């Protein structure tokens, strides 16, 4: 029934948001600790993790889009209800068949993208596989976030943007009088253009 479907999606959404918060509070810090033996600059460590988060969402959303097309084609043959119900059926099918998602492939895509990112250290300097467990968790989370209506996503920030207090917290080592973002520590979580969970940035003059 529609009411049951809404309850299921609301429960799934709440679990995904809680997981996003846990990754930020715990697994992000574990990844920082794994990087510190290789990167002495804490700013670079935080930049690496932020870009890993952005690339993980990008890779997972692309994988979801491809899977969704195939599932929709399959379910269309046996689904008799309207287009809205078909959309919900597709999302529920993917949510209950997580093995459709080749997370290992997405992790490799993320690491490859990071290796080619000119803002990060060269591949010979840092092996980004040291944070592959974080990348894997982010890819799985980002993929699952596409199975709720509306989908959850992150805001991709730009260095130098004006600090937005509704979207971000300032990191403790920020210049609190500075109006511009020097770099991003963690992305904000969004739903239909609205901020669900604030991200974290560093502001400097």
């Amino acid at each position: 029934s529609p009411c049951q479907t809404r309850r299921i999606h609301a429960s799934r959404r709440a679990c995904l948001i809680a997981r996003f918060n846990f990754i930020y509070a715990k697994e992000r810090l574990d990844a920082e600790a794994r990087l510190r033996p290789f990167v002495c600059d804490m700013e670079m460590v935080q930049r690496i993790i932020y870009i890993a988060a952005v690339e993980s969402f990008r890779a997972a959303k692309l994988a979801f889009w491809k899977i969704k097309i195939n599932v929709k084609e399959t379910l269309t043959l046996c689904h008799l209800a309207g287009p809205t119900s078909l959309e919900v059926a597709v999302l529920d099918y993917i949510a209950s068949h997580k093995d459709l998602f080749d997370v290992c492939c997405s992790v490799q895509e993320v690491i490859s993208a990071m290796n080619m990112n000119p803002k990060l250290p060269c591949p010979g300097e840092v092996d980004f596989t040291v944070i592959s467990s974080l990348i894997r968790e982010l890819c799985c989370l980002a993929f699952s976030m596409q199975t709720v209506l509306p989908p959850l996503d992150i805001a991709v920030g730009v260095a130098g943007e004006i600090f937005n207090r509704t979207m971000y917290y300032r990191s403790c080592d920020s210049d609190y009088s500075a109006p511009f973002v020097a770099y991003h520590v963690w992305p904000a979580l969004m739903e239909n253009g609205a901020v669900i969970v604030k991200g974290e940035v560093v502001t400097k003059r």
Side-chain angles (χ1 to χ4, degrees), residues 4 9 16 40 43 57 63 70 101 104-105 142 145 166 172:
Q4 184 180 11
H9 278 252
L16 292 170
C40 58
E43 177 180 327
F57 268 77
N70 292 332
F101 178 38
C104 293
C105 181
M145 282 182 168
T166 63
C172 59

Side-chain angles (χ1 to χ4, degrees), residues 43 46-51 54 155-161 167-168 181-188 199-202:
E43 177 180 327
Q46 292 177 328
R47 286 179 182 270
I48 289 171
I49 291 173
Y50 177 78
I51 290 175
V54 170
V156 179
V158 179
E161 66 181 295
M167 185 173 287
Y168 299 112
V181 173
Y183 64 93
H184 296 75
V185 175
W186 193 249
E200 182 181 346
V201 298
V202 174

Side-chain angles (χ1 to χ4, degrees), residues 147-167:
T147 66
V148 293
L149 281 172
L152 299 170
D153 200 358
I154 56 170
V156 179
V158 179
E161 66 181 295
I162 296 175
F163 173 70
N164 183 347
R165 67 178 65 253
T166 63
M167 185 173 287

Side-chain angles (χ1 to χ4, degrees), residues 122-160:
C122 296
E125 298 175 41
V126 183
D127 184 357
F128 296 123
T129 57
V130 297
I131 59 168
S132 58
S133 60
L134 173 69
I135 294 170
R136 183 184 182 87
E137 287 296 322
L138 286 167
C139 284
C140 289
L141 177 67
F143 185 87
S144 294
M145 282 182 168
Q146 309 312 303
T147 66
V148 293
L149 281 172
L152 299 170
D153 200 358
I154 56 170
V156 179
V158 179

Side-chain angles (χ1 to χ4, degrees), residues 79-124:
H79 198 81
L80 302 177
T84 302
S85 298
L86 174 60
E87 180 74 10
V88 171
V90 169
L91 297 180
D92 289 344
Y93 183 90
I94 297 173
S96 60
H97 293 80
K98 292 187 173 70
D99 56 320
L100 292 171
F101 178 38
D102 186 351
V103 65
C104 293
C105 181
S106 289
V107 169
Q108 287 305 312
E109 286 180 17
V110 172
I111 292 173
S112 295
M114 293 175 70
N115 282 332
M116 293 186 291
N117 192 311
K119 296 180 180 178
L120 297 183
C122 296

